[in-house]
Amino acid sequence: MDTINRDGRLVGIPASPGTVIGVAVWVHQVPAVQLESSISSDAIQHELLRLKEAVENAKSEITNLRNRVMIQMGPNEAAVFDAHLSFLEDPEYVGQIEMLIRTHSMGAESVVFDVTRRMKEMLMALPDEYLQARADDLQDVGTRVLRLLAGQRAMNLSSVKSGSVVVAEELTPSNLAELPREIGGIVTARGSRTSHVVIMAKSIGIPFIVGVGESIQRIKDGDLLVLDGNQGTVLVRPTMAEQRQAQHHIEVHSALHNVALAEAKNPAITRDGRRIAILANIGHLRDVPEAVKNGAEGVGLFRTEFLYLENDHWPTEQEQYEVYRKVLESFTDKPVIIRTLDIGGDKPLGYANLPQEPNPFLGHRAIRYCLDNPDVFKTQLRALLRASLHGKLSIMLPMISTLSEILLAKGIIDQCKRDLNDEGVAIVNSIPVGIMVEIPAAAVMADILVQEIDFFSIGTNDLAQYTLAVDRGNERVAHLYDAAHPAVLRLIQQTCDAGIGTGIPVGMCGELAGDLEMTEALVGLGLDELSMSSTNIPMVKQRIREIDGIAAKSLVKKLLKLTSAEEVRAATFAEVLGSQ
Ligand code: PEP
Ligand code: MG
């Protein structure tokens, strides 16, 4: 795959937004390692002692990093380092290294190198982004132990100058914790947008592009770069004109953002008077303050799977209830759409013992898993129903592809209501139940499905993946993945038409909802509600206030006749420019 586009920009996967101009600083990870290192049997004890010392020193370095991150970023980011410490306590890892030094009479370096590589490969082979993030953690730990065995001090990343753009084959959470918070941006050859290091960078607002591939070698230390974390592009050694253009873009964007933020608490009403509800996507209770600050008019998607993924046991009804109640209370009279568990397939839970599947994205996930595991489903539904008294709850079902799934899920919801009523537990009995439209079948059948639900919410992240047959997390096909593709737009239109025809609200909670280039098209398609990352809310609201409904409709007519996402982007970009 060519990761360099026509105007010479390197293209990767946009992982954390923002544009920056800065000087490249390469961070290399290669540890010094002696691979052929048989030792005499007399030296085994000495080697085990060296290993023990390196492991203890690694633990103390990691604990220091953990404490630093806790102060600078917070407990969730610091938790990554608990995962690192747990590898150093894990008999599968350290125990295996000790055993191999003893039985194979090998030097500690080569055994650490080997065991780390093998365990990492095993984790990487699992079809799951979360476990792949564990593989990165393991590599981070292994590299640290190797460095300490070699008697090397840590790379001095803390002296990297403010505003620099860090360039690496791959970056680890430890690297990021050691770098100054004032770095301008990050670009890596590999990595996924859901890795720990990306999540940490996002939380402190550092633009980040992953998956640039081999073309990253075009960047040399000291090169000036323009990194665009929204588009996922890097311009290497820009001309003066390109620098001026980028600087202008940054200034305009920051000024516009500040203006938009000042107006963020006001509604988004088009020039012809149509109000579009703008809500936030959240994954945790801790995301609520940011959503409120940016003017969210409720929650359009609460991804509850994090509650499960970040636990080492099935979260109990009471544990879930507490979280749902607090989120609902934070928004009182504003709508909060909570999505039931979207787990399985590509997001397996260790404690759920899910079997490995050859095609996890097409496998036993989300509603399919919940319907086959009614105890898990009912625990969540009971927690939701009990929390319903504390706000304006809607329940959303993920990955619906057939009418029968809706009917079965509604049957279980009704059963839970009856049980709670019988137990004398107070609940709201009329809770709206809607579905995610993220499988093409649901969009195509929307006119039928609409009869059984209270709202649609279009999940363009998966809808694009399934419509275009492009794995949303695979950097090698990332250039083919764009939810602005006319085929996806046609499915959105079909869903909107079904909603409009029956008076059922249609929202969108995939990433396309926060994509400013597409806002006018989404208004023209007839969406009632857009739900997005909180940081996008002010600008999207501002954009909607500039839009005229009739012009938006005629733009849509034009877009639906185009043949590619590139053509759609060119047409919508021209509209955005025209409106300024
Ligand atoms: C989507 O698929 O668009 C969506 C919002 O769900 P998720 O990204 O959690 O799969
Ligand atoms: Mg989805």
Side-chain angles (χ1 to χ4, degrees), residues 293-339:
K293 183 187 110 193
N294 282 291
E297 296 159 12
V299 171
L301 167 64
F302 179 3
R303 290 180 163 102
T304 57
E305 48 273 15
F306 291 109
L307 259 171
Y308 294 72
L309 288 163
E310 291 172 4
N311 249 313
D312 56 6
H313 61 274
W314 287 108
T316 63
E317 181 182 318
Q318 186 62 21
E319 283 169 344
Q320 295 190 53
Y321 163 77
E322 296 291 344
V323 176
Y324 304 149
R325 178 174 63 78
K326 286 182 190 146
V327 171
L328 284 158
E329 280 174 352
S330 321
F331 285 95
T332 49
D333 58 332
K334 296 193 177 111
V336 173
I337 301 178
I338 303 189
R339 179 172 77 181

Side-chain angles (χ1 to χ4, degrees), residues 339 342 365 399 436 438 459 461-462 472:
R339 179 172 77 181
D342 183 358
R365 59 178 289 201
M399 300 291 294
M436 298 268 311
E438 52 186 342
N461 307 342
D462 276 317
R472 61 193 261 191

Side-chain angles (χ1 to χ4, degrees), residues 124-129 132 342-348 354-366 368-369 399 439 462 465-466 471:
M124 294 291 289
L126 299 174
D128 162 53
E129 286 190 44
Q132 286 175 9
D342 183 358
I343 204 73
D346 68 314
K347 298 179 204 161
L354 303 170
Q356 212 171 312
E357 296 179 299
N359 286 306
F361 273 122
L362 307 180
H364 194 232
R365 59 178 289 201
R368 301 170 183 178
Y369 178 84
M399 300 291 294
I439 296 181
D462 276 317
Q465 151 164 278
Y466 295 127
D471 179 342

Side-chain angles (χ1 to χ4, degrees), residues 223-240:
D223 276 349
L224 193 66
L225 306 178
V226 175
L227 178 145
D228 182 339
N230 302 70
Q231 303 293 327
T233 59
V234 185
L235 187 54
V236 187
R237 297 181 287 279
T239 61
M240 282 308 285

